[in-house]
Short mmCIF file of all heavy atoms in Angstrom, two decimals:
data_model
loop_
_atom_site.label_atom_id
_atom_site.label_comp_id
_atom_site.label_asym_id
_atom_site.label_seq_id
_atom_site.Cartn_x
_atom_site.Cartn_y
_atom_site.Cartn_z
N GLN V 192 8.64 14.49 -16.68
CA GLN V 192 10.00 13.95 -16.84
C GLN V 192 11.04 15.05 -17.01
O GLN V 192 12.12 14.99 -16.42
CB GLN V 192 10.04 13.00 -18.04
CG GLN V 192 11.33 12.22 -18.16
CD GLN V 192 11.24 11.14 -19.22
OE1 GLN V 192 10.28 11.07 -19.98
NE2 GLN V 192 12.24 10.27 -19.27
N ALA V 193 10.73 16.07 -17.80
CA ALA V 193 11.70 17.14 -18.06
C ALA V 193 11.80 18.13 -16.89
O ALA V 193 12.71 18.96 -16.87
CB ALA V 193 11.31 17.89 -19.33
N MET V 194 10.88 18.03 -15.93
CA MET V 194 10.86 18.96 -14.81
C MET V 194 11.53 18.41 -13.56
O MET V 194 11.77 19.16 -12.61
CB MET V 194 9.42 19.34 -14.46
CG MET V 194 8.61 19.91 -15.59
SD MET V 194 6.89 20.15 -15.08
CE MET V 194 6.14 20.58 -16.66
N VAL V 195 11.80 17.11 -13.53
CA VAL V 195 12.28 16.44 -12.33
C VAL V 195 13.64 15.80 -12.58
O VAL V 195 13.82 15.06 -13.54
CB VAL V 195 11.27 15.35 -11.87
CG1 VAL V 195 11.80 14.57 -10.69
CG2 VAL V 195 9.93 15.99 -11.53
N SER V 196 14.60 16.09 -11.69
CA SER V 196 15.93 15.50 -11.82
C SER V 196 16.05 14.20 -11.03
O SER V 196 16.81 13.31 -11.40
CB SER V 196 17.01 16.49 -11.37
OG SER V 196 16.83 16.85 -10.00
N GLN V 197 15.29 14.11 -9.92
CA GLN V 197 15.28 12.89 -9.11
C GLN V 197 13.88 12.66 -8.57
O GLN V 197 13.17 13.61 -8.24
CB GLN V 197 16.25 12.99 -7.93
CG GLN V 197 17.71 13.07 -8.32
CD GLN V 197 18.63 13.12 -7.10
OE1 GLN V 197 18.21 12.83 -5.98
NE2 GLN V 197 19.86 13.50 -7.31
N GLN V 198 13.50 11.39 -8.47
CA GLN V 198 12.19 11.05 -7.92
C GLN V 198 12.24 9.66 -7.31
O GLN V 198 12.79 8.74 -7.90
CB GLN V 198 11.11 11.11 -9.00
CG GLN V 198 9.72 10.73 -8.51
CD GLN V 198 8.64 11.02 -9.54
OE1 GLN V 198 8.55 12.13 -10.03
NE2 GLN V 198 7.85 10.02 -9.86
N ARG V 199 11.65 9.53 -6.13
CA ARG V 199 11.60 8.24 -5.45
C ARG V 199 10.24 8.08 -4.79
O ARG V 199 9.79 8.95 -4.06
CB ARG V 199 12.70 8.13 -4.40
CG ARG V 199 12.70 6.78 -3.67
CD ARG V 199 13.82 6.70 -2.65
NE ARG V 199 13.63 7.68 -1.59
CZ ARG V 199 14.44 7.81 -0.54
NH1 ARG V 199 15.52 7.06 -0.46
NH2 ARG V 199 14.20 8.71 0.39
N THR V 200 9.59 6.95 -5.06
CA THR V 200 8.30 6.63 -4.44
C THR V 200 8.48 5.46 -3.49
O THR V 200 9.05 4.44 -3.87
CB THR V 200 7.24 6.30 -5.50
OG1 THR V 200 7.03 7.44 -6.34
CG2 THR V 200 5.92 5.92 -4.84
N THR V 201 7.99 5.63 -2.28
CA THR V 201 8.14 4.62 -1.23
C THR V 201 6.76 4.25 -0.68
O THR V 201 5.94 5.13 -0.42
CB THR V 201 9.00 5.16 -0.07
OG1 THR V 201 10.24 5.64 -0.59
CG2 THR V 201 9.26 4.09 0.96
N GLU V 202 6.52 2.96 -0.53
CA GLU V 202 5.28 2.53 0.11
C GLU V 202 5.41 2.66 1.62
O GLU V 202 6.41 2.24 2.21
CB GLU V 202 4.96 1.08 -0.23
CG GLU V 202 3.68 0.58 0.43
CD GLU V 202 3.36 -0.87 0.15
OE1 GLU V 202 4.10 -1.49 -0.62
OE2 GLU V 202 2.36 -1.36 0.72
N ILE V 203 4.43 3.27 2.25
CA ILE V 203 4.36 3.36 3.70
C ILE V 203 3.29 2.37 4.17
O ILE V 203 2.11 2.50 3.83
CB ILE V 203 4.01 4.78 4.17
CG1 ILE V 203 5.09 5.78 3.72
CG2 ILE V 203 3.85 4.82 5.69
CD1 ILE V 203 4.81 7.21 4.12
N LYS V 204 3.72 1.39 4.94
CA LYS V 204 2.79 0.39 5.47
C LYS V 204 2.12 0.97 6.72
O LYS V 204 2.80 1.32 7.67
CB LYS V 204 3.54 -0.89 5.80
CG LYS V 204 4.26 -1.49 4.58
CD LYS V 204 5.17 -2.64 4.96
CE LYS V 204 5.93 -3.14 3.74
NZ LYS V 204 6.87 -4.24 4.06
#
Side-chain angles (χ1 to χ4, degrees):
Q192 189 171 9
M194 304 175 188
V195 176
S196 61
Q197 294 182 15
Q198 178 170 307
R199 181 179 65 178
T200 298
T201 306
E202 179 182 356
I203 299 179
K204 301 171 184 179

